[in-house]
Amino acid sequence: MVQFSMNITRKRALMVIFVAVSIMIIDSTIVNYVVYSTQKLPSRTYVSIFITLALLFIGVSVVLLGFLQRKEVGSGLKGALGIKNSYLIICMSQFLIIAILAIMIQSTVTLKSYNVLLLLAATFVSHISALFFLLLLVLSLVVWIMVRMNKVLLLYSVSFSLLALTIILSLIYATIVLMNQPSLIKPYPIQSSLYSLPRADLAIYFGPILDVISVISFVSVWIVSAFLLSTYVRKLGKARYWTLMALPLVYFLFPFEIYFLNIFHPLISSSPVSFAVINSIVFGATKQIGGLFFSFAFLVASALLQKYVIHKYLLISAVGMAILFGSIDIDTLLYATYPPFGLVTISFMAIGSYLVFTGITNSAVLVARDKVLRKEFYRNAMSQLDLLRAIGVTQMEKELIQNYKAIDKRTRSLEKYNPFVKDDVKEALHGLVDDLDKDKAREILHDVLTEVYSKSRTKNKS
């Protein structure tokens, strides 16, 4: 396999986020724009747009894999669960998706049609891969919570668990609908695709469930993000800060007002087309905008730790948050339009999930093993570092427990097979345990006391 690596910088991370989010917004909203637009374009124009989006996705994927390859070489990190060959897994996943896109492009250009099985294959690869890495991340968070309870970790674990549930339900829903589509999708007006969705009755059941899960997941991450960015209250003032924080929340929740207030019912009754156009154009990118907002906390944290290696993993996490939350959107894909708009959006799902997983878990390992970095956290009282403090100290405690267990297991094994040197072995290993205890336990105790002191000092000031 050809090796390609690229160093991630703040400028490159922001550029990748901008390009990826732009691709997903165009790909997931273009169908709504076409339906309500008075200008009708030939199908070859839409095919050209799809090919452009697909090629841009391939370019972004190669760049992201380059960032990850750079981090894998010589890092020596295994993440919170010690998953081996995770980079190889995501490479295989992305290559499969790119291969499917290549076949799809070839079919639409030369055969003027494509097989719906290609859509099903891409849906399965992207959803299963994303679910795999998301579950690994949730397991890591649960392990940290079991070692030490933390509200930030709890909210993130709830949100990512709900995202995993969303992916499972979306996969089931998309599979049922696509299997009822014609086996061969040929050029025909996009408007016709929206008016003839098979198994439209399923939307009555899947729609509200997915909406509720999406809202709870979004709100839980919004709460964490608002807390991590709370340092800006002093700079902006409470009124301005919470106004800015509320904007993405209101923007995301506004399309769901039909479930609660339905204040636009008179407008829908009098001008349904106008309302649909405005709603599709203005609120068609709620998930992508939400992903941008969630990535901001990691971008700010990376800026505070720019001289440390960890800032690169924080940038990776930021890119992953923007991509992951923006890519879990199957609405356009279900219509199986010609060309297959919505396919590029879900293709980002796997790489986004992996970026968040590897960024957060490797950040925890780095904090756990770097005493200087932990001291920097406690010298810097910025709230953006609270997540790193929590996962770093918890990971250090977890590694200490694992070391104790490994030493105890080795002691029992040597006692079993070497009964004549039992006392010497116990004495030597207990000395090793004592050294480990003095070094590690003192660091953990110092970190815990420092955290308690900083929290009490913050409460006294407030």
Side-chain angles (χ1 to χ4, degrees):
M1 184 173 63
V2 178
Q3 299 293 322
F4 169 76
S5 63
M6 180 183 295
N7 189 34
I8 185 171
T9 63
R10 184 178 179 83
K11 184 177 180 180
R12 288 174 178 173
L14 289 172
M15 188 177 299
V16 169
I17 290 174
F18 173 77
V19 174
V21 170
S22 299
I23 292 171
M24 290 186 287
I25 290 176
I26 295 173
D27 182 59
S28 60
T29 60
I30 189 171
V31 169
N32 291 329
Y33 175 78
V34 171
V35 168
Y36 299 111
S37 175
T38 56
Q39 185 178 6
K40 307 302 178 184
L41 300 175
S43 61
R44 63 176 179 272
T45 302
Y46 299 125
V47 170
S48 299
I49 295 173
F50 168 73
I51 293 175
T52 301
L53 295 175
L55 293 177
L56 287 173
F57 162 77
I58 294 173
V60 171
S61 297
V62 171
V63 171
L64 290 174
L65 291 176
F67 290 157
L68 296 168
Q69 174 65 24
R70 180 81 177 194
K71 296 296 102 196
E72 289 288 323
V73 176
S75 66
L77 301 179
K78 293 183 179 180
L81 294 177
I83 303 300
K84 296 181 179 179
N85 301 321
S86 60
Y87 179 74
L88 179 60
I89 295 173
I90 190 60
C91 283
M92 293 175 60
S93 173
Q94 290 305 109
F95 289 158
L96 279 174
I97 293 173
I98 291 173
I100 293 172
L101 282 173
I103 297 173
M104 190 78 74
I105 292 173
Q106 188 269 337
S107 297
T108 54
V109 171
T110 60
L111 303 178
K112 308 298 182 184
S113 63
Y114 68 86
N115 198 308
V116 76
L117 291 178
L118 291 172
L119 279 184
L120 280 169
T123 302
F124 267 91
V125 173
S126 59
H127 280 69
I128 296 299
S129 301
L131 183 63
F132 173 73
F133 291 113
L134 208 53
L135 289 178
L136 290 180
L137 177 59
V138 171
L139 287 175
S140 297
L141 292 168
V142 170
V143 169
W144 291 328
I145 291 171
M146 290 175 66
V147 175
R148 178 189 290 190
M149 182 61 184
N150 182 274
K151 293 180 181 178
V152 174
L153 297 182
L154 181 61
L155 285 171
Y156 267 127
S157 64
V158 169
S159 177
F160 289 132
S161 298
L162 291 173
L163 277 184
L165 180 58
T166 301
I167 291 175
I168 294 173
L169 293 176
S170 297
L171 178 59
I172 297 173
Y173 185 24
T175 301
I176 296 174
V177 172
L178 291 177
M179 288 183 66
N180 284 274
Q181 291 280 9
S183 59
L184 202 61
I185 307 298
K186 298 180 179 180
Y188 58 91
I190 291 179
Q191 292 87 342
S192 302
S193 303
L194 270 68
Y195 299 144
S196 58
L197 179 67
R199 296 307 306 272
D201 57 301
L202 291 177
I204 301 174
Y205 306 102
F206 281 95
I209 295 174
L210 289 172
D211 287 343
V212 170
I213 296 173
S214 179
V215 168
I216 298 174
S217 176
F218 186 96
V219 171
S220 61
V221 182
W222 179 86
I223 293 172
V224 176
S225 301
F227 171 74
L228 294 177
L229 297 172
S230 60
T231 303
Y232 289 96
V233 172
R234 299 177 183 175
K235 296 181 179 180
L236 301 174
K238 287 186 177 181
R240 188 180 299 177
Y241 171 78
W242 286 111
T243 300
L244 292 174
M245 288 297 103
L247 287 178
L249 181 63
V250 173
Y251 178 73
F252 179 83
L253 295 178
F254 190 83
F256 300 106
E257 62 86 26
I258 190 173
Y259 292 121
F260 309 104
L261 302 176
N262 201 13
I263 58 177
F264 292 100
H265 179 71
L267 180 60
I268 296 174
S269 302
S270 59
S271 305
V273 176
S274 300
F275 178 81
V277 172
I278 296 173
N279 188 61
S280 300
I281 295 175
V282 178
F283 298 101
T286 54
K287 295 182 178 179
Q288 290 79 20
I289 299 301
L292 277 176
F293 173 69
F294 298 148
S295 69
F296 188 66
F298 291 92
L299 289 172
V300 173
S302 69
L304 296 174
L305 301 170
Q306 198 159 4
K307 64 180 180 179
Y308 298 96
V309 177
I310 193 175
H311 95 276
K312 299 183 183 296
Y313 286 102
L314 292 172
L315 289 176
I316 288 174
S317 301
V319 176
M321 291 292 283
I323 290 177
L324 176 61
F325 278 87
S327 62
I328 305 178
D329 187 354
I330 62 169
D331 291 345
T332 303
L333 180 76
L334 296 177
Y335 296 108
T337 60
Y338 181 92
F341 289 117
L343 175 60
V344 175
T345 297
I346 66 163
S347 298
F348 276 106
M349 201 182 296
I351 190 70
S353 180
Y354 179 75
L355 288 170
V356 177
F357 164 70
T358 192
I360 293 179
T361 54
N362 281 326
S363 294
V365 175
L366 280 171
V367 176
R369 299 177 184 177
D370 193 336
K371 185 188 302 184
V372 177
L373 183 58
R374 291 196 301 276
K375 289 182 179 179
E376 175 67 23
F377 288 170
Y378 294 115
R379 283 197 300 266
N380 193 331
M382 292 289 189
S383 60
Q384 296 93 325
L385 303 180
D386 285 349
L387 173 63
L388 296 176
R389 291 191 191 100
I391 63 176
V393 175
T394 306
Q395 177 66 17
M396 187 170 65
E397 293 179 14
K398 176 174 167 286
E399 291 182 2
L400 176 60
I401 294 172
Q402 289 176 341
N403 288 333
Y404 269 122
K405 289 182 178 178
I407 291 172
D408 181 66
K409 183 179 180 181
R410 185 180 176 188
T411 303
R412 295 177 184 275
S413 177
L414 289 174
E415 287 177 355
K416 180 179 179 180
Y417 294 104
N418 299 278
F420 298 106
V421 294
K422 176 179 177 180
D423 294 335
D424 294 337
V425 170
K426 288 182 68 177
E427 183 179 354
L429 289 177
H430 278 306
L432 179 59
V433 171
D434 288 340
D435 291 338
L436 178 64
D437 181 59
K438 290 176 183 178
D439 183 33
K440 290 286 187 180
R442 188 181 294 113
E443 288 186 30
I444 293 176
L445 182 60
H446 173 268
D447 288 337
V448 172
L449 291 175
T450 306
E451 184 176 357
V452 172
Y453 172 72
S454 62
K455 287 182 177 179
S456 63
R457 186 174 57 180
T458 303
K459 289 181 180 178
N460 292 333
K461 286 183 178 180
S462 60

